[in-house]
Amino acid sequence: MENKRNYQFISNFILKVIAIVFMTLDHVGIFLQNLQNTQQIGDIFRFLGRLAFPLFVFIIVEGVRHTKHFGKYALKLGIIAAVFLIGQVVFYYTINNQVESFYSPILDVLIVAVSIYLLKRKDKYSFFAILSIGFIITSFVVVNIERTQNINILWMPFFLRLPYALFDILLALGFYYSKPLAKLILKNGGSATENLTDTPYERYAENIINAFVVLFVVFLFYILFKVSGISYFFFDYQAIAAFACIPLLFYNGKRGYDKKWFKYGAYLYLPLHILIIFLIFSLI
């Protein structure tokens, strides 16, 4: 069992750092793609950025699973989502009205967090998860109808649409149910006197399941959009997200470094880094 534990060296903190780095590369890549002589570098940055979102979804699921105060947790995400929403509307109506560029992944993770929390409750309120998941599916359907039928659906404004939609909820559900699935597998696989739950093997089994979830969902969407011919946002190169399974294989389930400056700084970094990148490239 000690050998298994040695392979589990990535904490929640390290996952956040990895996700933030790749997210930043992704957003820098967006601007590089629009400059002369930097398109190829921008493409590389955007490819690398595909690893960020599956990791963020996993971090959100872990946060909902372990938080004792979901209201405070959701409030932080909600404030960041509101900041993005205001920024989207102002930017759209004053600077650039290319709708495809202004979907907010923060709204994605907020809706996912609410959905997982409702399912986690396992009481009468869990029924309301139908509403949040229904919203995700609706966003997915609306965008694809617009793209296949070449029409504009006005009753769902762009700033309420989710860029990842079905992609993120499938990931989140897979991550959330990996724990009970791992327990079930190891319990049934244990001896009559001792099963393997509540051991390092359980964490290892969860990691394998989580890695499989990433590979399966990415492969599913890659095949879906390749076969259908629909160009859904960035799914032409979203297959790179499959590599997000690698850090998940080494996750140890521990919080790691958790100072308040980083905890709140990570939330603030989400809107601020986009503003900083935008200002820098505006001066170039």
Side-chain angles (χ1 to χ4, degrees):
M1 292 185 185
E2 290 297 323
N3 291 333
K4 299 294 184 185
R5 186 180 289 113
N6 290 338
Y7 288 107
Q8 299 166 5
F9 58 88
I10 294 182
S11 66
N12 193 277
F13 165 75
I14 295 176
L15 275 185
K16 287 180 182 177
V17 172
I18 294 172
I20 287 172
V21 169
F22 282 117
M23 175 187 68
T24 304
L25 289 175
D26 183 40
H27 294 157
V28 171
I30 294 174
F31 289 89
L32 288 175
Q33 286 177 324
N34 293 294
L35 293 177
Q36 292 184 348
N37 303 320
T38 60
Q39 289 91 344
Q40 290 184 337
I41 297 175
D43 288 341
I44 293 172
F45 277 27
R46 296 227 67 198
F47 272 103
L48 293 173
R50 298 303 93 212
L51 276 70
F53 194 74
L55 297 180
F56 274 120
V57 173
F58 180 80
I59 291 166
I60 290 297
V61 172
E62 283 289 279
V64 174
R65 178 180 280 137
H66 296 294
T67 185
K68 296 180 180 178
H69 305 286
F70 178 75
K72 294 180 180 179
Y73 189 77
L75 179 62
K76 295 172 188 174
L77 289 175
I79 291 173
I80 301 301
V83 170
F84 266 93
L85 187 148
I86 293 170
Q88 285 174 283
V89 173
V90 171
F91 195 86
Y92 176 81
Y93 287 108
T94 61
I95 300 176
N96 192 323
N97 63 355
Q98 296 299 310
V99 174
E100 290 84 355
S101 302
F102 297 99
Y103 295 89
S104 171
I106 305 301
L107 186 58
D108 264 285
V109 296
L110 175 61
I111 301 298
V112 163
V114 171
S115 301
I116 297 301
Y117 170 72
L118 290 171
L119 292 173
K120 174 189 171 185
R121 288 180 63 99
K122 295 182 174 63
D123 58 17
K124 62 182 180 180
Y125 294 104
S126 295
F127 174 80
F128 291 102
I130 294 176
L131 299 178
S132 56
I133 295 176
F135 178 80
I136 292 170
I137 295 173
T138 299
S139 178
F140 179 81
V141 171
V142 164
V143 172
N144 279 284
I145 289 177
E146 283 191 340
R147 286 175 172 264
T148 55
Q149 302 299 322
N150 196 27
I151 60 174
N152 291 322
I153 298 177
L154 301 178
W155 57 264
M156 191 175 198
F158 73 92
F159 49 81
L160 292 181
R161 300 181 187 183
L162 309 177
Y164 289 90
L166 200 59
F167 182 76
D168 63 11
I169 194 60
L170 289 178
L171 284 174
L173 291 173
F175 293 150
Y176 179 68
Y177 287 108
S178 67
K179 180 176 285 293
L181 181 58
K183 283 184 176 292
L184 179 64
I185 292 173
L186 294 179
K187 183 177 181 180
N188 292 337
S191 66
T193 57
E194 179 185 7
N195 63 60
L196 299 175
T197 59
D198 300 319
T199 69
Y201 283 98
E202 183 178 332
R203 178 72 262 167
Y204 194 67
E206 283 185 51
N207 290 349
I208 292 175
I209 295 172
N210 287 325
F212 175 79
V213 167
V214 173
L215 293 173
F216 175 78
V217 174
V218 171
F219 178 76
L220 176 66
F221 272 76
Y222 181 79
I223 294 298
L224 174 64
F225 293 106
K226 280 298 181 182
V227 171
S228 67
I230 301 173
S231 177
Y232 184 74
F233 298 112
F234 31 65
F235 277 102
D236 289 341
Y237 48 93
Q238 185 64 26
I240 301 298
F243 289 99
C245 71
I246 296 174
L248 295 182
L249 284 172
F250 302 99
Y251 183 58
N252 59 20
K254 298 178 181 179
R255 182 174 296 179
Y257 186 83
D258 193 41
K259 297 295 184 180
K260 284 188 176 181
W261 75 266
F262 178 80
K263 184 184 299 184
Y264 290 100
Y267 284 104
L268 291 174
Y269 182 79
L270 293 174
L272 287 179
H273 84 281
I274 293 179
L275 177 60
I276 293 171
I277 293 171
F278 173 74
L279 291 176
I280 291 174
F281 278 88
S282 296
L283 298 174
I284 295 177

